[in-house]
Each structure stands twice: as C-alpha cells, then as structure tokens.
Amino acid sequence: VSRPLAIPALATEAPAEGLPTGDYLAAAGSHELLWLLIALPLAGATVLLLGGRRTNSWGPYLAIAACGAAFLLAVTSFLALLDLEDRTAQLQLFSWVPVGGLQVDFGLLLDPLSATFTLLITGVGLLIHVYSLGYMAHDPRRRLFFAYLNLFVAAMLVLVLGDSYLALFLGWEGVGLASYLLISFWFYVPAYATAAKKAFIMNRVGDVGLLIAMFIMFATLGTTQFAGVFSQAELLTAGTATAIGLLLLLGACGKSGQFPLHTWLPDAMAGPTPVSALIHAATMVTAGVYLIARSLPLYEVSETARLVVGVIGAITLVIGAVIGCAYDDIKKVLAYSTVSQIGYMFLAVAIPGAGAVAILHLLTHGFFKACMFLSAGSVMHGMGDQVDMRRFGGLRKEMPVTFACMTAGYLAIIGFPLFAGFFSKDLIIEAALDQGGVRGWTFGLIAIAIAGVTAFYMTRMMIMTFFGERRWTEGQHPHESPAVMTVPMVLLAIGSVVSGYVLVHVTPLTEFLAPVLGSEEADHVLEPIVVTAIVTVVSALGVLVAYLQYARTPVPTTAPVAVSPLTVAARKNLYFDSLNESLLMRPGQYLTRALVFADNRGIDGAVHGLAAGIGGGSGRLRRVQNGFVRSYALSMFGGAALVVAVLLLGRVGA
Amino acid sequence: MTDLPWLTVLGIVPLVGALVVAALPSGRDALAKQVALLVSLVVLGLTIAMCAAFEPAGDRFQFVQAYDWIPAFGVQYAVGADGIALVLIALVAVLVPVVVLASWYDADPQADPLRRTAGAVGTSARTSATAGATPPEATVSGADARAASSRRVGGGTAAGTPAGATAVLDAPPPAEDQPVDELPPRRSVKTFFALLLVLETMMIGVFAATDVFLFYVFFEAMLIPMYFIIGSYGGPRRSYAAMKFLLYSLFGGLLMLAAVIGLFVVSASQGEGTFAFEQLVGLEMSRTVEIALFSGFFIAFAIKAPLFPFHTWLPDAGAEAPVGGAVLLVGILDKVGTFGFLRYCLPLFPEASRILGPYVIALCVIGILYGALLAMGQKDLKRLVSYTSVAHFGFIAMGVFAFTTQGQTGAVLYMVNHGLSTGALFLVVGFLIVRGRSRLIPDYSGVANVAPVLAGTFLIAGLSSLALPGLSTFVSEFLVLIGTYQRYPVAAVLGAIGVILAALYVLLMYQRTMQGPLQLPALLGDRMRDLHLREVMAVAPLIALMVFLGVYPKPLTDVINPAVEATMQDIGQTDPAPTQGGALTSSGPADED
C-alpha cells in the first residue's frame, strides 16, 4: 500500500471547528492490530530480561527487530488512518479497573496526534537502537541496555496511545522507570545512581499532580476516559478546570524538565548518550507537551491555566538558554538546550490555535536534537568518553561525518533559513506575537531574544568542539565512528535539514493535526516576513558574538574564574539545586532523623514509661523489672488502658 | 462440589499436616520440610478449587456452615466466605507455600549451602564458638548465651541477668550497630514447619468465621504460633520482640473481648443473645454504647493492623522475626486488623464509624506520612520494610473509612497486593541477609555488581512497594486515593504525597544497597552468590501475580465488589455522585455491554 503523502490526503474535511468532543470511532481493519505496536517491544524486553546471558549474542538484534516491526506497524496504522474520514480509531482491549462508578477501560486511541507520536517514537527509536549497536558494542551488559530501550518504547507507546488518563499514566510512569533504569545503567558510579534517583523522584512529584487531576476528574465528571472527560469539559466550572489544568501542568513540568522541576534533566545525562538522545531529548521529555496538547479541551475552559502554561514555558525558555551558555560539558549544554526548546513548545501549546505549531517544533526538535546528541556521542566515542568541550577543538578533520551531522543539527536549531528549526521556531514566535497586547509582546520578545541566545551557545559549542586548537588530553586519538553509528546520524541529519520544509509546505502538519488541536487564523501583528527577518538578524548576532568570543581568542583548557556574576550563577544552575537542597532535602533529613528518634524514645518510650509508671514512680522502676511476664502484662495493660481512657474521654466529650 | 464444607476442610488440612510433621521422628528434617510444602500446596489447590466454586453473583456468604458450640451463650461454629474473606484466604494459601520454600533452612542454617559457603570465607572461628556455646534445643535462653559471645552492645546487661525470659521490656532501644547476626543456632526443624501449618489453620479460620466469638477465638489463638515463631526462631532480640508483640496483641484482644461480650449483652437485651455476624448487623444501641463497643474493636484492630500510634511493636517484631514469619506477620496477620475494620467495625457500628471516621482518616494520613518518613530513616533493612507497612496500612484503613466503593474495594485489593508485594520485599531482603548475615544497610553496597538477579528482584519488589503502575499495588493505591478524594479531598492529597515519599524510601534503599561500588560484609569478601533456584521459585510466583493483577485485576474486583456493596448497604452509604458532569457516570462511555 504505497501511496504518496499528498497534501489532500493529510488535510481532512475539517469537521466543524474547535477541539475534539470525544466522539471516537471504533477501530476496524488493520487498526485492530494496534495493540501489537505495544506488545512487540514489550515482548522484546521480556525475552531479554528473562532470557539471561544466553541472549547476549542475538538479544540486541531481537530488540532492533521488535522496534523495527513496531515502526512498520506504526507506518501502516498511520496510512490506514489517512483513509478514515474521521481520522480516529479507538480499540477497546479489556476492562481494567471496574469498581462502582469508576469504569476504566483499557483501550487505545489512534488519531492524528497519537499517530504522529507513534511515528516519532518508533522511527527515531529504531535509528537509536541501531546506533546503540555500535555505541554499546563493548559493554558486557548491553543485552540489558537493549531490553530497557525496548521497555521504554513500549511504555512511551502506551503513553501516547492510551485512551484514558489512567492508561496515559501507566505509560507515563513506565517511561519514568525506563528512564531510571537507563540513567543508572552504569549503576556502580554513585553519581549516576543519584542522578537516576533524582530523575525518578522529581518526576514523581509531577506524577502526583497528574494523579490528583484524575481524582478531580472522577469526582466532578465521573470518569477518566478521554472521551468522557472531553465531551463533558464544558460542564466544568472555571475553578475546577483551572485546578485540573494546573495539576496536569505540574505533571508535564516533571516529565518535560520545565521550571521548577527541570533540574533532573541535565543530571540525567549520566545515562549512555543514545539514551540522552532518545529519551531525554527526542521523545520522553516531550511527553509533557503531548499531555497538554491532548488536554486542550480542558484548557479551553480555563484561561488561567492556559496562561500559566505559557508563563512556565517562557520562564524555562530563558533559564535553559542562560544556563546553556555557561556549561562546558557538551551533553549538559545540549540538555539545557533541550530544556529551553521544550520551553518554546510549552509557550506555543498554550496559544489558542497554535497547538499544532508546538507539535511541529516537537517533531523537528526530535530530529535535530537527536542528531546532535548522537553526534556528541560520536565525539565522546572517539575521545574516550571525554565530555569537556574545553578538551575538544579542531575535531572537524578527524570526524568529518560527525562534524557534518552536528552542523546540520546546529543550523537547524539556530533556525538557519530553510533548515528545520527555521520553520517551526518562526511559527512559534509568530503565534506568540499574534496574541497581541502585553501578553503577545512579552512572550514574543522573549522568544525572539532567546533565539539569539540559542544561536550564541550553540555556536560556542560548535567552535569549541570542532574548530580552533586541539586541546585534547594526552594520548587521545580521535577517530570517526563506525557506519552503524554514522548511518543513523546521517538519516537524522537529513531529517534536521528537510523536516521543517516538508512538514510546513509539502504535507502541512498543522492541517493534519487541526481536528485534534484546533487551528485559528489570527491577525498578524507583524508580517511573517518581518518576523523572520528579525529572528534571523537576532540569531546572526548571537552567532557573531560567539564567534568573536571563542574563535578569535584561544579557548582556555580550564574555565576562567574571573567571570560575571551571571555566569557564576549559571554555572551553578542558577542555584536551583542548592535551593532544592536547602528547602527540601536538608529539612527532610532533619525531620526524618528527629522522627526516628521520637519514635524510639517518644511513642515507644511512652508506652514503656506508662507501663512502668503504673507500677510506681520512676524511682521504683528497677524493682518493677522483676522478670515476671505477668507483671509486665499487667502494667502494660494498665498503662495502655489509661491511654485509651484518655483518648476516649477526649473523643466522646468533644 | 459446592456442598463440600470447603472452609472447614481448608482449616483442617494444615492442622492435620502440622500434626503429621510434628510426629515425624527427629532427624528427618528434610522429610518434615517436604511434608509441610506438600500440605501447603494441597491447601493452595483446594483454595483454587474453592475460588472456582464461588459465585460472585450469588449469596453474600457462601460455603456457609453453622453448628452450635456453646449453646448457653449462643456461640456457634459458623463459617462462611464473602468476596473479601475469599480473596484473603486465597492470599493465605498463596503465601504459605512461598514461605515454606523461602524458610527452607531458617531453622537449621548449618544445612544451608548458601550460608555454609559464606561461613567458609571468614569468621569461621567465631561461628563455631557460637554454635558450640548454644545447645540445639536452646530457644529463648539461647539469645542470652549468644549475646554474651557476640559483639552485641547490650550483651553485658543481658549476660548479667538470670536466664529465661528476662530483660524483656527493659531492653535498650535498638542500637544501630546491633543486628549484625552470627550464624543462628540450629533449632527444631519440624516444630518450625508444624508451627507454620498451625498458623495457616488459624489464619484461614479468622477470615472464615462468621460468628463474632469464633472470630475472637481465632484472633487470639493466632498469636500463639506466631509468638513461638518469633521468639524461638528470630534474630538476636527475638525474645524482646516476641514479648512486645504478644503484649500489644493481648491488650488489644482484651479490649475486643470486652466489646464482644458487650455486643452479646446488647443483643440479649433485645431478645435472644447471639454472636452471629448477620444477626448483629443492624443491632439497635445507644450512641454512647455504640461508640464504646466500636472503640473496643477499633483499638484491637488498630494495634493489629497497626495504625499510627499503635505501631511501635511492628518494627521490632518485623525485624526480629525470621523472614518467613515476617512475611506472614505483615502479609496476613496484620491484615486481620484492616479486615476487622471492614467486616466488623463498619457494619456493626455504622453510626460510630460515621462519627469517628474523620478522626480515623486523620490517623491514617499521619500514618502514611509518618511511616514513610521513618522508613527513610532506618538503617536496618527489615525495620525499614516494617515501617513501609505502617504507611501502607494507613492507605488500607483510609480506603475502608472513606465509605466509597472505590475506597473499600481498593482497600481489599490493597490487602492482597500488599501481602504479595511486602512479602516479596521481605523475602528478597531475607535472601540478602542470609548471605551477608547483616541487616544493616551500610554493610552493603553495589550488590547488583555481583548478584544481578537478586538486585533485579529487589528492584521489582521495591517498585511494587512504591506502587508503580503496571504492578498490582498501583491499582489498589489508586482506588483508595480516588475513593477517599470524593469525601476527604485533603486527606487524599496528603496521601498522594505519601506516593512521593514511597519513591524516596524505596529508591534510597535500593541505591544504598544495590548500586554504587561493591562493598559487602567482611565474611563475604567480594563474592556473593546470586539467587538460588529455590529462592527464585519462592519469589517468582509473587512477582508473576503482581504483574498479572496489575494489568488485569478484574478477577479480584469481580469478587470483591459485591461484598463491598453489601457492606456499603450495611452502613447505609452510597457513593457521592459526580458534581459537575456525570452524564456518563454509570458506565464508561465506550462500555458496550
């Protein structure tokens, strides 16, 4: 069934206007096999985890096959979806949690939004599986690595395909587990184990938001299925909708590394680089954007919640970019850049009618950020796992393919004309400005300014890594990576170049997504061409500044100490970690210690003391301890009875 | 098939098995173990058959039998199972064979190949000295003898006192470097397994009883085998822990006895005195009397469960009990408390439950947060797991007192799932302790380097303790919280914070013991055996059930729901209706049945 993805095929007869109302059609035909999409990688993971050492030789190939089969299935399902008039297919699998009024059915929902994600997850996932074959070739535990990767793909597919908030939550925490397992893949390094734990805990903080949002949905609407919630969304009071919206946002912030739950993401770079590319750049961390995009019918009811999403996006956008300028660790620079770019997506998804633009940037970002991470991984692979950019330099000759790929990703992220980011970022900035008023100008100007900062720190990274003097440590012999690694990189690089143009002008994604995310033609505050010109000039300025600072003067091999207070702060994460530590961690530790003491001496002691006290004053304690069980029993009984009497009197009297 | 007196048969089989095991000639240890395993498997098979015969849509109580026992007081031998009792009996039947398998060498550690290899590496001199100083039949006094030769801090005190059950309550609070265990002395193998089987009879009886007096008898009788299991086969401070456990429970039992008698008196004043559960439901009484009787039952159950602030016996008992004993103690015995809330406190005293419910919910919330925070502060692995249970019991009781079908069904599911999950956690912790002979977290680091299967199982058990979706505990925790939210939103939100704390204590424990660079107790050097086939077979069924019930809990909810709905009717409560929508409440939108 090979049919060209022509424009008419993607654009549907826009069913009325607005957002989905929860009328999903039952799946038929090839969509009845949708469950296989999840089952295949899950089976791969299960076989590898239970199979033990005997799967060492063929295990990784099985994992790749499982992911590849899932990709083919995703493509087939996507094509079949295009044939459907309503562009939805819902597959009921089984009754999951049926208790009284709460009837949670486990089902899958394929619509333009989830179909887009399945392609991204399985497609980029497949490339990164293949890349890992080379990257992890020498790791004796690579079988587990591939098992976890498969587990991740399965969980992520549950996340985007689930047709209820509870099913989404299953995938949501599932990807959290996979992320935990992969960040701590080299668990014997204490810092890595700590990073994994931090990621899981901070995600859990967000997850609790999602949980409570579900409680409210059930208490007010009686269901957590998407269909039931969205069809009744208009019945919600603004206050309830705001509460739900903000709680969902908390969940999204945890998963997507948004302020104030963003500090786990840079630490998560402890995981092997393919993991950083797949989970912590291209797919999992964008799940927050998915959650909000999916829940747009709820945000429609609460303007407040919508505004807060945008504000959080804008704040994170700035934070990520500022910190990204200060780090010397190439992976952390990319991580903060991810934080910042997802800020763009949050900013966009909060703008009425611009949800599809957010997803567009999510897709192009998926390509170019994965490409950059894999290229960084290739650099590290050739440099003996060095990550300090001050120890790179002049690598473009040794690693020409890696350099080319990184350049493609670089041009895409800074929005070089006709590269992927150029289209998606410009559309976000336009949409932000088009909101008009104070909000429009604030968001718009922030988005423009950060485009310049992005250009600065990304140019800095390029120059420090590939140009200038060779500042390598002794005995380094950088070399290009094997084809098994470079081929996926090249494919992603091609995506970084063309995906923007294709998704905007060839097969317009916004039209495809319109039935789910809505579309709105706002009046332009500035003509698009003007916006493009401004953004391009600002970005060029960023590049220029970086060029002057890092290419014209030699880069020192240790970070300079005499720097501005902002740089000092940025090097320390703008003190967010210290804040967490002093506000939560330390007090928590003290509280725990105090309670342990109190429990041993206090409550337990009170029981002992009361028991002894019944038999006489503390001076006679010694005599009471005569070793006869029955006297203990008696005094225990007396003491406890006293406690009970007091409690009872208090209760009954009150 | 349904005419078979299922419950009586289920109760008798392990008792007969216990007698057979006890009657075996000493020296036939292996045979005793095999018979015990066989008997427990027979019980499991019978239970599966019974569950198949149970009709979810049928009567509330099925497999009912009633015979006069003490006619003068209307006491009957009356048994029957509703959905709630059924799933808990099933849990008993699943856990006992698992415990038998896992405790294979707990009474005669010298025979354990795993410990033998471990002993050969280091400290063999000290081990043999200890073994020599302790006669095989020594039970309680063995603790003091060993204390003198071990590096126990309080050893001097203990050695200075006369032998016997001395220095019980004045034992010092747990010192942190204390529970470094020597190879425990050999004790009677057949007695241990006979005790386990006797305990199984009691546990089945306590859930099956439908006569309040019979329930009380089982409730108290259950203590005896557990007292001996902890007191004779436990860790260094076992006599202290066993006595504490017994005294707390006896005290609760006394209050309950008073309340049971009170019930009889009230019923006698209105006609014929009875202890039959179904006749006592709906009994008229004044509010004061109701609150007093409720309190009698409540405190007994709150100690048993245990709820904050009645919990301080659990960490000691859980830590000192042999691992199998701890699994049954926390997995099942404690559930009698939460089962009692649901079966007895609510239907018998609906008015008092309604009045005092909010206070109970407050205790539960405190327990959830308090248990989790204390778990985080523990250095002893078994104490840590015990404290996590304090938090989990808070969730269960919260679900019961939320007065919603979601909360109560969630609570019953939670009882089952907690049995599986904490059971698995205790087992794996036990496997680790058997190897390293230390319960202290700081003695271990990076175990995953040498024992990946052990570490993996540990992680799965831990994830189930923190209620990861996909594992069965999540479904129950979610139900409890969503059910509670409808009546007590603040409590549910605070309970949800417990979800974060659970992630913290589990992952902290996992990181400290399993991750990081390798460091093991001195006697192991840098080698540790990974899980043995017997150990895998013990823990694998639990994990399989956790996964299956996490994805498909319907077989359980189908059985539990009708029983919970009957309870809701007993107490005259209905679920709150959705407040702002609700066109689709009665069934899911895509529900096509």
Side-chain angles (χ1 to χ4, degrees):
Chain A
V1 191
S2 68
R3 59 212 293 295
L5 300 183
I7 303 165
L10 276 169
T12 169
E13 334 256 306
E17 82 295 346
L19 297 165
T21 53
D23 290 331
Y24 301 130
L25 294 188
S30 66
H31 286 150
E32 283 171 12
L33 293 178
L34 214 51
W35 60 274
L36 264 179
L37 196 55
I38 296 164
L40 285 170
L42 192 62
T46 313
V47 169
L48 288 189
L49 285 175
L50 295 182
R53 289 200 190 87
R54 73 205 85 146
T55 64
N56 262 343
S57 52
W58 47 269
Y61 299 99
L62 177 79
I64 292 173
C67 191
F71 175 63
L72 288 181
L73 209 57
V75 172
T76 328
S77 309
F78 172 75
L79 293 176
L81 188 72
L82 295 181
D83 287 337
L84 297 178
E85 203 164 314
D86 274 66
R87 296 280 166 80
T88 60
Q90 192 180 29
L91 181 65
Q92 281 304 313
L93 292 176
F94 53 87
S95 171
W96 186 15
V97 186
V99 177
L102 179 70
Q103 296 289 331
V104 181
D105 293 317
F106 195 95
L108 305 178
L109 170 66
L110 192 74
D111 67 352
L113 182 61
S114 52
T116 309
F117 268 89
T118 53
L119 289 177
L120 174 75
I121 297 161
T122 53
V124 176
L126 177 61
L127 291 179
I128 288 175
H129 270 72
V130 173
Y131 175 92
S132 305
L133 211 52
Y135 193 84
M136 300 299 282
H138 305 296
D139 196 296
R141 293 163 63 246
R142 63 185 176 283
R143 154 180 64 88
L144 283 177
F145 181 82
F146 280 91
Y148 298 158
L149 275 190
N150 261 352
L151 180 68
F152 166 77
V153 170
M156 188 73 199
L157 288 169
V158 172
L159 196 165
V160 298
L161 284 172
D163 73 343
S164 67
Y165 279 97
L166 198 62
L168 180 147
F169 192 71
L170 170 66
W172 192 266
E173 289 231 318
V175 292
L177 170 68
S179 160
Y180 171 82
L181 291 169
L182 285 164
I183 297 171
S184 64
F185 186 72
W186 293 308
F187 59 84
Y188 37 81
V189 183
Y192 295 3
T194 304
K197 185 185 68 200
K198 181 177 177 184
F200 196 95
I201 303 291
M202 293 196 88
N203 268 291
R204 264 254 151 154
V205 174
D207 295 358
V208 164
L210 195 45
L211 266 183
I212 298 173
M214 280 192 277
F215 301 161
I216 300 181
M217 286 176 204
F218 178 61
T220 54
L221 301 177
T223 180
T224 62
Q225 307 285 129
F226 289 152
V229 173
F230 298 153
S231 65
Q232 301 181 87
E234 289 174 358
L235 302 175
L236 288 174
T237 62
T240 311
T242 306
I244 296 179
L246 292 181
L247 287 163
L248 291 177
L249 175 64
L250 180 64
C253 285
K255 192 63 67 194
S256 290
Q258 298 292 288
F259 170 82
L261 296 177
H262 62 280
T263 57
W264 67 269
L265 186 54
D267 288 11
M269 296 302 121
T273 306
V275 173
S276 311
L278 177 61
I279 301 185
H280 303 122
T283 57
M284 182 187 89
V285 292
T286 59
V289 183
Y290 169 80
L291 175 66
I292 296 193
R294 177 58 81 194
S295 311
L296 278 182
L298 292 171
Y299 286 93
E300 200 75 345
V301 188
S302 169
E303 189 50 35
T304 317
R306 204 186 254 287
L307 176 63
V308 177
V309 173
V311 170
I312 291 287
I315 294 176
T316 316
L317 184 58
V318 176
I319 290 176
V322 168
I323 302 178
C325 297
Y327 269 71
D328 294 329
D329 177 328
I330 187 169
K331 281 183 76 179
K332 294 218 165 164
V333 171
L334 288 174
Y336 274 110
S337 140
T338 305
V339 167
S340 173
Q341 294 294 315
I342 297 175
Y344 271 120
M345 299 172 208
F346 270 62
L347 188 70
V349 80
I351 301 167
V357 178
I359 303 298
L360 174 68
H361 193 57
L362 192 155
L363 286 185
T364 56
H365 176 259
F367 280 113
F368 63 68
K369 190 51 70 63
C371 173
M372 293 174 85
F373 262 114
L374 293 193
S375 305
S378 174
V379 170
M380 288 163 57
H381 197 69
M383 294 290 284
D385 287 333
Q386 177 66 268
V387 289
D388 187 353
M389 296 192 296
R390 295 188 181 277
R391 288 305 191 168
F392 293 158
L395 285 173
R396 68 184 184 283
K397 298 217 176 75
E398 272 70 20
M399 305 182 175
V401 182
T402 304
F403 171 63
C405 291
M406 185 69 107
T407 306
Y410 161 74
L411 294 174
I413 195 173
I414 66 166
F416 193 82
L418 300 182
F419 281 67
F422 170 75
F423 295 96
S424 52
K425 198 192 289 181
D426 269 18
L427 283 175
I428 291 179
I429 294 171
E430 271 173 40
L433 285 168
D434 288 352
Q435 293 176 101
V438 178
R439 187 193 297 190
W441 283 108
T442 316
F443 285 174
L445 290 179
I446 289 177
I448 292 173
I450 295 306
V453 181
T454 307
F456 169 78
Y457 69 76
M458 278 299 160
T459 311
R460 172 178 179 265
M461 181 204 79
M462 285 302 286
I463 295 174
M464 286 173 82
T465 306
F466 291 104
F467 295 89
E469 311 234 326
R470 298 176 169 186
R471 303 178 301 275
W472 312 340
T473 45
E474 292 290 306
Q476 288 291 7
H477 303 288
H479 54 86
E480 188 54 273
S481 299
V484 70
M485 289 167 67
T486 51
V487 170
M489 281 158 52
V490 169
L491 290 176
L492 286 169
I494 295 172
S496 311
V497 178
V498 302
S499 65
Y501 181 80
V502 170
L503 291 173
V504 172
H505 292 293
V506 184
T507 58
L509 184 77
T510 46
E511 285 174 37
F512 178 57
L513 290 174
V516 191
L517 302 179
S519 62
E520 225 167 275
E521 278 301 311
D523 293 332
H524 290 305
V525 171
L526 293 175
E527 279 305 307
I529 187 76
V530 179
V531 175
T532 304
I534 296 175
V535 175
T536 311
V537 169
V538 171
S539 301
L541 272 176
V543 174
L544 184 70
V545 173
Y547 175 78
L548 292 176
Q549 193 171 342
Y550 296 97
R552 300 293 296 273
T553 50
V555 178
T557 54
T558 52
V561 186
V563 287
S564 70
L566 182 64
T567 314
V568 174
R571 280 180 188 165
K572 294 187 172 160
N573 283 337
L574 297 178
Y575 303 110
F576 280 109
D577 278 326
S578 325
L579 207 65
N580 275 342
E581 208 167 285
S582 49
L583 278 186
L584 293 172
M585 209 178 91
R586 287 279 153 70
Q589 283 171 343
Y590 290 132
L591 178 65
T592 305
R593 272 182 225 152
L595 284 180
V596 170
F597 182 81
D599 198 59
N600 285 341
R601 308 287 150 105
I603 296 186
D604 210 16
V607 174
H608 283 178
L610 262 175
I614 287 295
S618 59
R620 286 161 60 192
L621 205 62
R622 208 162 268 280
R623 220 183 306 162
V624 178
Q625 290 162 350
N626 55 12
F628 288 110
V629 172
R630 62 175 176 276
S631 88
Y632 284 116
L634 188 68
S635 51
M636 270 290 290
F637 176 74
L642 195 69
V643 176
V644 172
V646 171
L647 280 176
L648 274 182
L649 285 177
R651 286 286 155 70
V652 177
Chain B
M1 279 288 270
T2 45
D3 294 338
L4 199 71
W6 285 103
L7 295 165
T8 306
V9 171
L10 272 186
I12 287 176
V13 170
L15 197 60
V16 172
L19 292 175
V20 171
V21 170
L24 288 173
S26 53
R28 303 296 303 273
D29 288 348
L31 185 62
K33 294 170 185 178
Q34 287 156 5
V35 172
L37 182 62
L38 183 70
V39 170
S40 63
L41 286 174
V42 168
V43 175
L44 177 61
L46 283 171
T47 309
I48 293 172
M50 180 178 80
C51 292
F54 188 88
E55 292 163 22
D59 294 341
R60 177 174 182 183
F61 287 99
Q62 299 182 24
F63 319 120
V64 174
Q65 280 180 283
Y67 305 104
D68 281 347
W69 180 18
I70 313 174
F73 295 107
V75 177
Q76 289 188 312
Y77 171 84
V79 292
D82 62 355
I84 300 169
L86 187 80
V87 294
L88 289 171
I89 291 173
L91 178 66
V92 173
V94 168
L95 281 185
V96 171
V98 164
V99 161
V100 168
L101 207 54
S103 313
W104 209 249
Y105 293 107
D106 274 9
D108 54 341
Q110 287 70 22
D112 187 351
L114 291 168
R115 305 194 218 212
R116 225 168 21 210
T117 6
V121 181
T123 69
S124 54
R126 197 166 65 189
T127 307
S128 62
T130 312
T134 313
E137 63 274 16
T139 51
V140 179
S141 62
D144 295 332
R146 285 179 51 242
S149 67
S150 76
R151 49 173 158 137
R152 183 175 141 172
V153 172
T157 325
T161 50
T166 57
V168 167
L169 276 178
D170 53 337
E176 283 178 344
D177 57 343
Q178 204 167 27
V180 178
D181 199 359
E182 303 291 323
L183 193 58
R186 193 197 136 78
R187 305 185 191 92
S188 167
V189 172
K190 62 180 187 180
T191 311
F192 180 77
F193 288 96
L195 283 171
L196 281 183
L197 290 177
V198 172
L199 187 60
E200 182 167 25
T201 296
M202 303 298 172
M203 294 186 296
I204 291 172
V206 81
F207 292 124
T210 52
D211 181 282
V212 181
F213 192 84
L214 184 67
F215 171 77
Y216 171 75
V217 169
F218 279 121
F219 185 84
E220 293 287 43
M222 213 168 53
L223 299 177
I224 299 163
M226 186 48 83
Y227 171 76
F228 284 110
I229 288 175
I230 300 175
S232 301
Y233 297 88
R237 300 173 72 238
R238 57 181 174 267
S239 26
Y240 169 74
M243 188 54 65
K244 198 170 174 183
F245 159 74
L246 190 69
L247 290 183
Y248 266 78
S249 301
L250 279 179
F251 166 67
L254 279 175
L255 287 180
M256 189 165 94
L257 179 62
V260 167
I261 295 170
L263 264 183
F264 178 81
V265 172
V266 172
S267 72
S269 72
Q270 295 173 17
E272 205 178 335
T274 180
F275 289 105
F277 171 75
E278 286 194 279
Q279 286 167 349
L280 289 172
V281 173
L283 195 64
E284 302 272 328
M285 52 188 118
S286 76
R287 182 178 290 187
T288 324
V289 171
E290 191 175 335
I291 287 182
L293 296 184
F294 171 88
S295 306
F297 276 90
F298 177 79
I299 292 172
F301 294 143
I303 290 175
K304 181 115 298 194
L307 282 195
F308 177 89
F310 305 100
H311 64 277
T312 55
W313 64 271
L314 182 67
D316 285 312
E320 298 303 326
V323 164
V327 172
L328 293 181
L329 176 70
V330 178
I332 294 170
L333 261 62
D334 291 354
K335 300 293 162 30
V336 179
T338 48
F339 169 79
F341 289 147
L342 190 55
R343 167 64 75 73
Y344 294 101
C345 281
L346 264 51
L348 295 181
F349 316 107
E351 179 73 5
S353 305
R354 201 181 50 74
I355 296 171
L356 297 178
Y359 299 99
V360 179
I361 296 272
L363 280 189
C364 297
V365 170
I366 297 175
I368 290 170
L369 302 176
Y370 187 83
L373 285 171
L374 274 159
M376 257 180 263
Q378 300 303 314
K379 294 213 165 98
D380 178 326
L381 280 163
K382 281 166 86 182
R383 284 183 79 85
L384 195 163
V385 179
S386 303
Y387 272 113
T388 68
S389 291
V390 173
H392 289 143
F393 284 115
F395 276 110
I396 299 176
M398 189 159 89
V400 170
F401 281 91
F403 294 159
T404 56
T405 45
Q406 287 81 30
Q408 295 188 343
T409 299
V412 179
L413 266 183
Y414 210 128
M415 292 185 214
V416 176
N417 293 332
H418 175 260
L420 302 174
S421 124
T422 302
L425 199 53
F426 259 125
L427 288 186
V428 184
V429 161
F431 298 154
L432 182 67
I433 294 169
V434 158
R435 288 162 171 74
R437 283 191 220 157
S438 164
R439 304 203 304 248
L440 295 181
I441 291 173
D443 284 352
Y444 301 91
S445 166
V447 170
N449 287 296
V450 283
V453 179
L454 193 155
T457 341
F458 193 73
L459 183 63
I460 294 175
L463 292 173
S464 125
S465 186
L466 65 76
L468 187 84
L471 298 173
S472 59
T473 40
F474 168 69
V475 178
S476 36
E477 201 159 293
F478 177 74
L479 279 172
V480 163
L481 286 172
I482 206 168
T484 306
Y485 184 86
Q486 295 173 75
R487 282 191 210 278
Y488 303 102
V490 177
V493 169
L494 290 173
I497 291 173
V499 172
I500 304 174
L501 297 180
L504 262 171
Y505 63 67
V506 167
L507 295 186
L508 273 172
M509 168 174 71
Y510 185 75
Q511 185 187 357
R512 287 173 182 164
T513 53
M514 298 290 145
Q515 300 181 322
L518 183 67
Q519 179 228 313
L520 297 172
L523 79 163
L524 286 174
D526 58 353
R527 292 169 63 94
M528 179 188 272
R529 284 245 198 130
D530 210 338
L531 286 196
H532 187 263
L533 180 63
R534 170 181 62 81
E535 295 169 321
V536 173
M537 278 168 58
V539 78
L542 300 184
I543 291 177
L545 276 173
M546 289 188 300
V547 173
F548 175 74
L549 294 176
V551 179
Y552 197 60
K554 198 162 179 288
L556 288 188
T557 53
D558 279 351
V559 174
I560 297 169
N561 278 335
V564 162
E565 275 156 24
T567 308
M568 290 281 285
Q569 271 180 6
D570 285 344
I571 57 177
Q573 297 280 354
T574 47
D575 287 337
T579 52
Q580 297 178 18
L584 305 156
T585 45
S586 56
S587 65
D591 202 345
E592 284 162 7
D593 319 342

